Amino acid sequence: MSSGRLSADKVTTVRVVGKKQKGERIVCLTAYDYPTARLLAAAGVDVILVGDSAANVFYGHATTLAIGMEEMVYHTRAVAAGAQPALVVADMPFMSYQVSVEAAVENAGRLLKAGAEAVKLEGAGPVLDAVRRLVEVGIPVMGHLGLTPQSVHRLGGYRLQARRAEDQQRLLEDAQRLQDAGCFALVLEKVPAEPAARVTKALRIPTIGIGAGPGCDGQVLVLHDMLGLFEGPAFKFVKRYAELGEDIRRAVGQYCADVRAGRFPADEHTFHADAGGQ
Ligand code: KIV
């Protein structure tokens, strides 16, 4: 039997933790399909997150609650096929880890069988047992605190979290509990820069911020937001690196006009019977 081998440049969870120790920032973006995963990996992204934000930007739902295990397994399989050498982290969808530790292990196992190399889940207190068990059976876990979109109905919207001193203290304690339970990294979403920097300083494991300021060990964005694939103003914490939505609309509009005017296909796009070729 031949032994398995990882490529020399493979990003592993151990390397992600090592980046914090070396003071190297960690780059993370979301992807939901194979061609996008290939592009992100080729551009040098360290961690590709198969986010349950697919519920919003892929399926058009208002919240992430609607996406389930079947969809997450499907997207994870597609991303994993194109993501190497980046680390593939798959989100555990709403209610795939909260009902019981056994269900959490079974569902995380399905995501790893589909090609994920770690899973991410939201919250602290009620999910700590699941985190401990997942790590125990060999499944790396990324935590997620601050704005946790799966709790949108309890939080009353997508507001900035950890504004008051007592909430900032709870954030720090929850982060330490997740680290102690065995998480290898922690996403901090939509919290002020100051408490995020304090949590980052207090932890051995890296923090990956989204709307959590520059003091985190890494950054993550939803790809569709940073590429301008959605119309309308972006969130304050999103930097738009492209306007692909506009580019696509312009290109498709041009195609519509060309077809209707008979300009496409032109001769260079047309086969002729006497030319015999390609
Ligand atoms: O689902 C997702 O894309 C996420 C990021 C916003 C961190 O969890």
Side-chain angles (χ1 to χ4, degrees):
M1 196 176 102
S2 68
S3 60
R5 196 167 287 174
L6 299 177
S7 67
D9 58 351
K10 174 68 193 144
V11 183
T12 61
T13 56
V14 174
R15 282 213 172 148
V16 167
V17 177
K19 279 178 180 289
K20 174 167 183 142
Q21 287 149 7
K22 290 192 232 158
E24 291 172 13
R25 289 211 165 84
I26 298 151
V27 183
C28 179
L29 278 173
T30 61
Y32 316 107
D33 60 58
Y34 167 76
T36 308
R38 281 193 62 156
L39 290 169
L40 301 195
V45 169
D46 299 311
V47 180
I48 300 183
L49 173 66
V50 188
D52 61 355
S53 51
N56 310 121
V57 300
F58 191 93
Y59 291 100
H61 299 305
T63 73
T64 57
L65 307 191
I67 200 164
M69 278 302 299
E70 298 314 316
E71 295 97 325
M72 290 306 296
V73 166
Y74 165 87
H75 290 288
T76 299
R77 205 183 298 288
V79 167
Q84 297 308 317
L87 178 74
V88 178
V89 179
D91 257 334
M92 297 200 68
F94 180 60
M95 283 300 131
S96 70
Y97 56 97
Q98 293 92 337
V99 174
S100 70
V101 170
E102 290 71 27
V105 172
E106 191 173 331
N107 286 321
R110 288 184 66 196
L111 293 168
L112 262 76
K113 281 174 186 282
E117 294 153 333
V119 296
K120 177 165 79 59
L121 45 77
E122 298 182 6
V127 300
L128 287 173
D129 283 343
V131 173
R132 275 187 216 102
R133 186 68 188 136
L134 290 171
V135 175
E136 224 167 60
V137 301
I139 299 176
V141 181
M142 180 181 275
H144 185 156
L145 293 175
L147 174 62
T148 45
Q150 292 177 11
S151 305
V152 59
H153 297 308
R154 178 174 58 79
L155 297 174
Y158 296 98
R159 282 191 274 246
L160 183 68
Q161 300 296 305
R163 298 173 82 144
R164 296 175 309 173
E166 61 261 41
D167 297 332
Q168 296 176 8
Q169 183 58 28
R170 191 162 43 85
L171 180 73
L172 179 61
E173 286 167 10
D174 283 348
Q176 277 163 335
R177 279 189 199 109
L178 285 168
Q179 174 177 268
D180 293 346
C183 283
F184 75 96
L186 174 64
V187 167
L188 292 176
E189 180 164 353
K190 213 166 176 187
V191 296
E194 296 74 16
R198 273 199 292 282
V199 169
T200 301
K201 238 179 135 182
L203 296 189
R204 287 185 316 277
I205 61 171
T207 59
I208 302 186
I210 173 164
C216 296
D217 298 303
Q219 297 293 327
V220 58
L221 282 176
V222 172
L223 188 76
H224 289 57
D225 292 339
M226 60 90 82
L227 294 183
L229 273 163
F230 274 169
E231 290 171 64
F235 298 118
K236 175 182 167 71
F237 60 79
V238 174
K239 179 171 175 183
R240 285 274 262 261
Y241 286 83
E243 293 297 342
L244 293 194
E246 254 179 64
D247 290 350
I248 291 171
R249 232 188 356 265
R250 195 177 318 110
V252 173
Q254 190 64 56
Y255 170 73
C256 292
D258 282 355
V259 169
R260 287 180 185 128
R263 286 190 297 268
F264 178 83
D267 201 49
E268 71 258 37
H269 311 117
T270 303
F271 299 107
H272 290 290
D274 55 358
Q278 309 268 324

